């Protein structure tokens, strides 16, 4: 079976955007809940709670342009409904559906209809009222829809090259999002140094775990004690937890090799080489080393490498000139 | 899309409807107040009894409560929305998507009537293909003055640069959508031929699925011929015209892209045929051969079912500003390395002035009379006919022959004096561009309007495939003008559609 480059690109981005929407929903949801445990926060308290979230999604400047100050209302709106923010949940879902629409003949009816349902859900007239009456329920719906889509594609999509591109998009995005969720904690300033290891610090690390659905899994392995290095160790290195960076990189490399038909430990393009190298580097790195060199710096480096993999993937399989036919199309006639 | 499709306009008249006593007991809900008016009603005959081929449906509907009917209707709407069978309203910033309204009450055609239509449609497409071959080669029909030379040479979709250029198996129109209407006596007429990129067939297939879901128990008793073979037939048609008769040709659907209102249909048909949907940017021409860009390199394409008008196909030849097309595509066509369906230049056959001569073509090429008649048509370019048009504007429908953008249509009985004056001026300035037809009283079909059945005007677009043989899908797209008294069936103007049932028998 042949796979058009454009189709590969659409499958990859559909999958990435859905995964991104899910992760943004996770981050916002957990931080809204974390606020419930905080004392009453003044403006600067609100800012130090929410700004790290904005930073971790990468668009501080845009936020500053669109809103007066960071608080629960502005940050959740920015990350959930703002169409000007390409990383908002709404923007991600619109983009995912636009990509899915172009490949609806390549995905199963079930997958298409769920993407379409999710689209109509977030585009409903009363969606902000639905959100206001229960943000938790709203974000749960987004996450569940993403999970449903994964289940549906596992259960109904043919395991051909196109399916591998769906996997590549998902795991590349998920690895990237896990680095960002971990990095949130770096930005959160504790009120004073003596709070390190205190109740608030622990609560924040627990929030990080919850953002990754890793709370139960962590406790299963490390017991009740939530320690920063254990959390980092788990979310970066776990071989078995499906949202850890290591796990995602392994899936990514395997899918890339299934696409090219390349043997294990070999590579046939830059995307494969970089993904494999990243995986090997991580395998020979310890948690101690990461903390010694700085968690934040290490996470940024990982994000850069993942972005390179994405670019090389585009070069290897999808590159073709981009045109915008929207204007012309209105003239061209079918009847 | 932009070429609006209008019907001639007529006015509804009130009149009471006597009911058959035996059926009265059944039809408490729906048909009690049904007024068939002075039109040809598809469902009820003159004595307001259901026609024999509607009797089973009538009885089923009479057993439905209003609530049940409403439930079914909503379920169908929700399912169209969920499947994304929608069109985008142009010019709406929110990108609002609407479903094409669907009416649950089908249009039914009995077997004998369909056999008549099939014969007429097959005759027509045969003549049109012979005409196109002739026009692009010897032009015998022009030399014999059966069709005036100026008709062809002034047609805006005539492509003289393709004179003498062969197309595989001499087929020009592979896929044709011929619009049919019925007058107040039930006589069918051809309103126009769509020999370029007729759309709408996916609605036919989806409407049928929706009806089966809505009436799962009734459907198999209704004796309806299936439409599901269309995609298979279309693929067979495309394969038949592979260049140089290449074995196992690679076929693909060429779409303008995701912004096109018919994009859903392009994907739908490709998926059903198991072939790729390609955009211009997915294709590249090397050595006059067309290739698709795939993750593993280039793959040759043999046949393109193109849903892109001639003007946009190739910026090297037609509109140089087109980003939708493929540079070099026309070279590949000329070199015989790729086949386009439909071929380039078929628009000369569905020009509204050419239309007037189709019955003459049938006689000239086939030695037969046209089985389905044309609507009587006056040409403004003929002096005598032009004065007839100008004298009778209030009673006629005037259409621009090469219209664009829905511009250039006058519905006489509904027009104002100022509009008529404007048209009279335009006709005198550019007679070649106008034709006129009498205002026909179109047939109506019971249609659910706010809880009651009311008569609404309909047309029919059957789909005809011309390959190793002529294949006509039983039925076609029935479009309905949902607004009271309106004859405008297209979706942006309050039009909807119905399932079209061709029966195995006559009842």
């Amino acid at each position: 079976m042949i796979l058009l480059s454009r189709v590969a690109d659409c499958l990859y981005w559909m999958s990435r955007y859905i995964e991104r929407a899910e992760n943004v929903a996770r981050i916002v949801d957990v931080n809204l809940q974390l606020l419930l445990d905080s004392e009453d926060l003044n403006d600067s308290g609100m800012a130090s709670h929410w700004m790290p979230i904005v930073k971790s999604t990468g668009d501080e400047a845009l936020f500053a342009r669109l809103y007066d100050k960071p608080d629960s209302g502005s940050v959740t709106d920015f990350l959930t409904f703002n169409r000007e923010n390409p990383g908002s949940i709404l923007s991600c879902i619109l983009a995912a559906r636009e990509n899915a629409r172009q490949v609806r003949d390549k995905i199963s009816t079930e997958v298409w209809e769920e993407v379409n349902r999710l689209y109509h859900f977030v585009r409903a007239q009363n969606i902000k009222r639905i959100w206001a009456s229960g943000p938790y329920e709203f974000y749960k719906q987004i996450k569940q829809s993403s999970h449903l889509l994964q289940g549906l594609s596992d259960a109904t999509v043919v395991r051909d090259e196109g399916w591998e591109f769906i996997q590549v998009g998902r795991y590349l995005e998920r690895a990237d999002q896990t680095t960002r969720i971990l990095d949130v904690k770096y930005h959160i300033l504790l009120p004073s140094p003596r709070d390190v290891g205190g109740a608030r610090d622990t609560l924040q690390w627990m929030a990080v775990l919850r953002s990754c659905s890793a709370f139960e899994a962590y406790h299963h392995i490390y017991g009740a004690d939530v320690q920063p290095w254990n959390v980092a160790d788990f979310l970066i290195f776990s071989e078995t937890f499906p949202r850890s960076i290591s796990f995602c990189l392994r899936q990514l490399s395997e899918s890339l090799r299934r696409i090219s038909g390349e043997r294990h430990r070999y590579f046939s393009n830059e995307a494969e080489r970089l993904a494999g190298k990243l995986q090997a580097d991580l395998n020979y790195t310890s948690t101690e080393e990461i903390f010694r060199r700085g968690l934040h710096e290490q996470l940024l480096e990982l994000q850069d490498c993942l972005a390179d993999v994405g670019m090389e993937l585009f070069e290897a399989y999808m590159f073709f000139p981009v045109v915008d036919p929207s204007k012309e199309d209105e003239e061209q006639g079918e009847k | 899309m932009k070429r609006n499709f209008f019907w001639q306009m007529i006015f509804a008249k009130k009149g009471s409807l006597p009911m058959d006593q035996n059926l009265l007991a059944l039809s408490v809900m729906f048909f009690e107040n049904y007024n068939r008016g002075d039109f040809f009603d598809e469902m009820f005959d003159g004595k307001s009894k259901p026609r024999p081929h509607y009797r089973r449906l009538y009885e089923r509907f009479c057993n439905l409560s209003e609530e049940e009917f409403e439930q079914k209707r909503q379920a169908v709407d929700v399912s169209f929305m969920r499947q994304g069978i929608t069109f985008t309203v142009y010019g709406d910033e929110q990108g609002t998507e609407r479903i094409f309204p669907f009416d649950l009450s089908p249009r039914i055609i009995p077997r004998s009537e369909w056999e008549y239509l099939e014969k007429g449609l097959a005759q027509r497409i045969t003549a049109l293909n012979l005409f196109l071959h002739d026009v692009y080669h010897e032009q015998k029909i022009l030399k014999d003055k059966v069709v005036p030379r100026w008709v062809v040479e002034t047609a805006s979709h005539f492509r003289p640069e393709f004179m003498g250029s062969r197309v595989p198996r001499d087929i020009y129109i592979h896929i044709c959508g011929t619009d049919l209407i019925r007058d107040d006596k039930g006589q069918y007429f051809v309103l126009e031929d769509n020999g370029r990129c007729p759309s709408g067939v996916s609605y036919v297939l989806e409407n049928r699925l929706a009806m089966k879901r809505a009436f799962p128990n009734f459907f198999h008793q209704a004796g309806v011929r299936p439409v599901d073979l269309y995609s298979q037939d279309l693929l067979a048609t495309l394969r038949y015209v592979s260049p140089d008769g290449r074995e196992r040709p690679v076929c693909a659907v060429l779409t303008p892209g995701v912004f096109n209102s018919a994009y859903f249909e392009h994907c739908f048909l490709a998926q059903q045929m198991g072939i790729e949907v390609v955009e211009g940017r997915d294709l590249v021409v090397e050595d006059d051969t067309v290739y698709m860009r795939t993750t593993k390199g280039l793959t040759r394409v043999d046949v393109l079912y193109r849903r892109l008008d001639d003007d946009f196909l190739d910026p090297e030849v037609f509109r140089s500003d087109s980003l939708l097309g493929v540079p070099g595509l026309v070279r590949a066509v000329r070199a015989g390395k790729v086949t386009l369906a439909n071929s380039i230049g078929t628009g000369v056959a569905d020009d509204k002035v050419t239309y007037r001569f189709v019955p003459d073509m049938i006689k000239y090429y086939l030695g037969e009379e046209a089985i389905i008649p044309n609507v009587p048509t006056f040409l403004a370019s003929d002096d005598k006919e032009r004065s007839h048009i100008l004298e009778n504007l209030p009673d006629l429908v005037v259409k621009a022959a090469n219209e664009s953008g829905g511009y250039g249509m006058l519905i006489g009985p509904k027009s104002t004096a100022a509009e008529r004056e404007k048209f009279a001026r335009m006709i005198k300035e550019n007679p070649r561009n106008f034709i006129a037809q009498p205002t026909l009283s179109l047939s109506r079909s019971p249609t659910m309007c706010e809880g009651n059945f009311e008569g609404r005007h309909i047309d029919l677009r059957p789909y005809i495939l011309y390959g190793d043989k002529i294949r006509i899908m039983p039925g076609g797209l029935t479009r309905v003008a949902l607004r009271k008294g309106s004859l405008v069936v297209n979706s942006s103007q309050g039009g909807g559609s119905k399932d079209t049932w061709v029966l195995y028998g006559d009842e």
Side-chain angles (χ1 to χ4, degrees):
Chain A
M1 275 301 288
I2 63 155
L3 181 66
L4 290 182
S5 297
R6 179 177 51 82
V7 170
D9 193 49
C10 287
L11 290 169
Y12 165 81
W13 280 109
M14 171 189 80
S15 171
R16 271 200 91 147
Y17 279 123
I18 291 292
E19 184 70 28
R20 190 172 297 172
E22 179 195 332
N23 280 283
V24 176
R26 288 168 175 284
I27 294 176
V28 178
D29 181 38
V30 166
N31 281 284
L32 276 174
Q33 294 196 50
L34 193 56
L35 274 184
L36 304 177
D37 292 328
S38 311
E39 305 154 45
D40 279 346
L41 293 178
N42 55 19
D43 276 7
S44 81
M46 270 296 185
S48 65
H49 179 83
W50 284 113
M51 258 342 262
I53 318 287
V54 174
K55 280 182 187 149
S56 84
T57 58
D59 221 331
E60 236 177 313
L62 181 66
F63 180 83
R65 194 160 58 72
L66 294 172
Y67 299 91
D68 294 340
K69 58 179 186 189
D71 56 28
S72 302
S74 63
V75 175
T76 51
D77 183 69
F78 179 66
L79 293 177
T80 310
F81 293 116
N82 199 310
R83 291 276 293 270
E84 286 186 58
N85 175 14
S88 73
I89 292 173
L90 183 59
S91 297
C92 288
I93 291 171
L94 298 189
R97 198 244 192 185
E98 214 41 48
N99 279 286
R101 223 154 81 79
Q102 295 187 53
V103 292
R104 56 184 294 169
D105 56 317
K106 291 289 180 296
I107 50 183
S108 62
T109 307
E110 287 84 353
V111 170
W112 160 250
E113 288 192 0
E114 179 55 23
V115 173
N116 198 42
R117 192 201 60 79
L118 179 62
Y119 166 85
H120 286 299
F121 169 67
V122 294
R123 293 219 36 192
Q125 292 288 330
N126 58 347
I127 191 61
K128 291 208 175 170
R129 239 190 2 252
I130 291 176
W131 182 90
S133 69
Y136 171 74
E137 264 309 310
F138 173 85
Y139 293 115
K140 191 169 152 195
Q141 286 241 30
I142 304 290
K143 286 186 280 182
Q144 280 185 342
S145 182
S146 167
H147 295 158
L148 185 55
L149 281 168
Q150 284 173 45
L152 287 172
S153 53
D154 280 7
T156 61
V157 176
V158 180
R159 295 302 194 271
D160 58 8
E161 204 183 328
W163 194 77
E164 300 297 348
F165 276 99
I166 294 177
Q167 305 307 303
V168 167
R170 172 188 306 158
Y171 286 109
L172 199 55
E173 182 66 25
R174 190 182 288 173
D176 181 72
Q177 290 292 339
T178 300
T179 66
R180 288 171 198 272
I181 291 171
L182 254 177
D183 202 31
V184 169
K185 185 64 183 87
Y186 165 83
H187 295 282
I188 304 181
L189 296 174
L190 288 164
S192 74
R194 66 192 150 79
D195 286 328
V196 173
R200 177 173 287 185
D201 194 27
T202 306
L203 277 176
Q204 287 168 350
W205 281 108
M206 282 161 69
V208 167
L209 285 172
R210 282 214 174 87
S211 290
C212 297
S213 290
F215 191 67
E216 292 79 9
Y218 174 91
H219 287 305
H220 191 66
I221 295 171
Y222 298 95
D225 199 13
V226 176
Q227 295 294 345
W229 45 88
N230 284 346
V231 174
D233 182 72
F234 186 65
L235 291 182
I236 297 172
F237 293 110
S238 170
E239 283 294 307
T240 47
F241 179 63
R243 309 195 76 83
S244 84
I245 297 166
S246 261
F247 186 95
C248 293
L249 286 175
R250 196 175 70 230
Q251 298 295 326
L252 174 66
S253 284
E254 282 174 13
S255 281
L256 286 176
R257 263 197 303 278
R258 277 195 293 268
I259 290 169
S260 66
E262 190 53 85
R263 290 160 296 167
H264 192 51
R265 290 179 198 285
Y266 287 78
F267 59 88
S268 54
N269 58 49
E270 274 297 286
E272 274 175 42
R273 189 182 72 80
L274 289 178
K277 183 164 177 286
L278 195 54
Q279 200 187 354
D281 283 351
L282 217 53
N283 283 346
Y284 291 94
T285 308
S286 66
T287 316
E288 289 74 25
E289 197 183 343
I290 284 183
F291 272 86
R292 198 167 60 242
R293 280 155 53 183
L295 178 62
H296 173 63
E297 287 71 20
Q298 291 291 292
L299 291 173
L300 286 188
E301 205 172 295
L302 268 171
Q303 284 170 19
D304 286 345
C305 293
L306 291 168
D308 289 343
V309 174
M311 255 144 62
E312 292 300 341
L313 194 69
F314 183 74
E315 286 290 325
Y317 294 110
M318 301 152 188
F319 180 72
F320 54 85
V322 177
V323 292
D324 174 14
S326 57
K327 289 200 185 78
E328 185 173 0
D329 177 68
E330 287 185 35
E331 301 167 33
Q332 106 80 29
E334 282 215 7
K335 27 186 280 181
Chain B
M1 301 166 310
K2 285 284 162 97
R3 266 190 79 173
N4 285 347
F5 174 79
F6 289 92
W7 276 357
Q8 292 93 329
M9 188 68 60
I10 40 173
F11 301 95
K13 285 183 191 162
K14 293 272 175 203
S16 68
L17 178 71
M19 295 291 290
D20 180 278
Q21 287 306 307
N22 296 324
L23 292 163
L24 191 59
L26 280 169
S27 63
V28 267
M29 298 312 297
F30 288 134
F31 299 108
E32 202 173 10
N33 298 315
Y34 186 74
N35 180 357
R36 72 183 281 284
D38 284 345
F39 306 99
F40 182 85
D41 193 279
E42 296 282 345
M43 186 160 175
F44 295 101
D45 71 10
K47 293 178 290 298
S48 46
K49 276 196 317 202
R51 297 178 193 279
H53 52 284
Y54 272 95
R55 181 172 281 269
R56 273 184 279 195
L57 179 84
Y58 178 78
E59 284 163 9
R60 175 71 187 100
F61 273 16
C62 288
N63 282 319
L64 278 177
S65 72
E66 227 176 297
E67 290 73 29
E68 282 174 304
F69 196 89
E70 181 57 18
Q71 270 173 10
K72 287 178 187 296
R73 202 187 58 76
Q74 282 180 11
V76 167
D77 283 0
V78 166
S79 126
F80 280 143
M81 203 68 186
R82 196 184 62 224
Q83 295 173 71
I85 306 174
T86 51
F87 64 93
T88 311
V89 183
Y90 283 123
D92 182 336
E93 249 176 63
Q94 295 292 309
T96 308
E97 290 178 25
R98 304 243 171 88
I99 59 170
F100 188 26
F102 176 64
D103 183 68
L104 273 184
S105 163
R107 181 243 194 95
I108 304 179
I109 301 173
R111 174 192 181 141
S112 47
E113 205 169 289
W114 182 249
E115 283 170 352
Y116 159 77
L117 291 177
E118 266 185 327
K119 279 198 202 101
L121 294 167
Q123 179 197 50
R124 201 164 173 102
I125 195 171
T126 306
L128 288 174
N129 270 315
L130 289 169
F131 171 72
L132 283 162
H133 178 76
D134 190 15
V135 156
Y136 287 109
H137 292 83
E138 296 90 353
Q139 301 197 327
K140 282 192 288 210
I141 198 165
L142 307 185
K143 287 169 190 155
D144 291 339
K145 299 191 172 15
V146 174
V147 174
R149 181 169 290 278
W150 62 265
V151 169
V152 167
E153 289 181 349
T154 56
S156 63
H157 296 285
F158 176 54
R159 304 282 179 203
E161 60 270 45
F162 283 86
M163 287 292 300
S165 167
R166 286 290 296 267
V167 297
R169 314 227 187 229
D170 293 334
I171 301 172
Y172 286 79
I173 300 177
H174 311 81
I175 302 108
C176 189
T178 296
D179 291 337
L180 303 175
I181 54 170
R182 299 181 87 172
D183 69 0
D184 52 0
K185 297 183 186 60
Q187 169 66 48
Y188 281 94
F189 290 91
V190 174
L191 188 63
E192 63 180 39
D193 306 286
N194 293 288
R196 283 175 285 161
C197 297
S199 67
V201 73
S202 60
Y203 289 112
V204 177
L205 302 170
E206 288 293 347
N207 287 352
R208 176 58 55 83
L209 290 178
M211 280 305 272
K212 283 182 176 166
R213 279 195 299 266
F215 297 97
N217 299 320
F218 171 64
F219 204 92
H220 70 274
Q221 303 163 17
V224 182
R225 289 181 60 189
V227 291
D228 318 297
L229 290 178
Y230 181 77
S231 317
Q232 219 173 300
D233 290 347
L234 178 58
L235 186 59
T237 302
L238 296 176
R239 285 187 169 151
Y240 179 68
V241 290
S242 76
D244 304 327
R246 271 166 61 91
E247 298 274 318
R248 303 182 59 79
V250 175
C251 306
V253 178
L254 175 59
T255 175
V258 72
F259 301 100
N260 187 275
S261 62
Y263 185 75
F264 160 74
E265 177 159 307
H266 308 159
C267 285
F268 178 90
L269 291 173
Q271 183 174 35
Q272 297 231 326
M273 289 188 279
I275 64 179
E276 300 296 320
V277 188
V278 296
E279 297 177 19
R281 57 193 167 125
D282 293 323
L283 299 178
V284 57
V285 178
E286 282 177 15
D287 297 332
D288 295 346
T289 308
V290 183
Y291 298 95
M292 302 187 266
R293 300 173 204 260
T294 80
T295 56
K296 299 279 192 310
L298 299 179
T299 299
R300 177 165 175 188
V301 187
D302 301 300
V303 182
L304 282 170
Y305 174 28
R306 49 94 168 218
R307 297 292 295 259
L308 201 59
D309 265 358
D310 287 356
D311 284 345
F312 295 88
L313 280 176
D314 183 346
E316 285 182 8
V317 179
F318 301 120
R319 285 179 56 155
S320 57
D321 59 336
S322 174
L323 300 171
L324 299 173
V326 189
L329 182 57
V330 168
R331 265 190 285 122
V333 172
R334 283 184 192 282
K337 296 285 189 68
V338 71
T339 308
L340 297 182
N342 293 342
S343 302
I344 294 170
T346 55
V348 66
D350 70 7
D351 182 279
K352 285 197 170 57
V353 175
T354 312
Y355 159 87
R356 158 65 185 256
F357 297 95
V358 176
D360 303 316
M361 286 175 206
I362 292 172
K363 198 161 204 174
Y364 182 77
Y365 294 118
L366 306 174
E368 299 167 7
E369 294 296 325
I371 296 170
I372 311 173
N374 266 13
V375 177
T377 302
F378 305 104
L379 303 182
S381 42
D382 179 286
D383 292 343
K384 236 161 71 196
E385 294 182 18
R386 182 169 61 251
S387 37
H388 175 82
I389 296 172
L390 293 171
E391 279 159 27
N392 294 285
L393 276 181
D395 303 321
L396 296 172
V397 175
V398 181
K399 298 173 180 172
N402 292 312
E403 94 276 37
S404 56
Y407 154 88
M409 171 126 176
L410 179 82
I411 297 152
K414 272 232 155 176
S415 63
T416 63
E419 284 167 342
R420 288 196 293 273
E421 209 154 292
K422 189 180 128 205
F423 264 79
R425 206 172 49 242
M426 284 167 20
I427 290 169
K428 285 178 207 155
E429 276 166 16
N430 186 5
R432 163 61 176 91
N433 201 34
F434 291 94
I435 61 150
Q437 293 170 338
T439 311
L440 286 188
S441 184
L442 298 189
S443 67
R444 299 203 311 188
S445 166
T447 301
M448 181 54 72
C449 304
E450 287 155 12
N452 282 305
F453 276 113
E454 292 181 20
R456 288 292 182 267
H457 299 294
I458 56 170
D459 80 343
L460 175 64
R461 176 180 287 184
Y463 295 88
I464 305 114
L465 298 171
Y466 193 111
D468 53 328
K469 57 181 178 181
I470 296 169
R471 298 174 168 94
I472 305 176
M473 168 204 252
L477 182 63
T478 294
R479 295 187 293 182
V480 52
L482 293 174
R483 287 184 201 142
K484 203 181 184 87
S486 167
L487 292 145
V488 181
V489 290
N490 76 343
S491 49
S492 59
Q493 311 266 344
S497 72
K498 288 166 171 281
D499 194 12
T500 310
W501 292 3
V502 172
L503 301 186
Y504 283 110
D506 273 339
E507 285 185 29

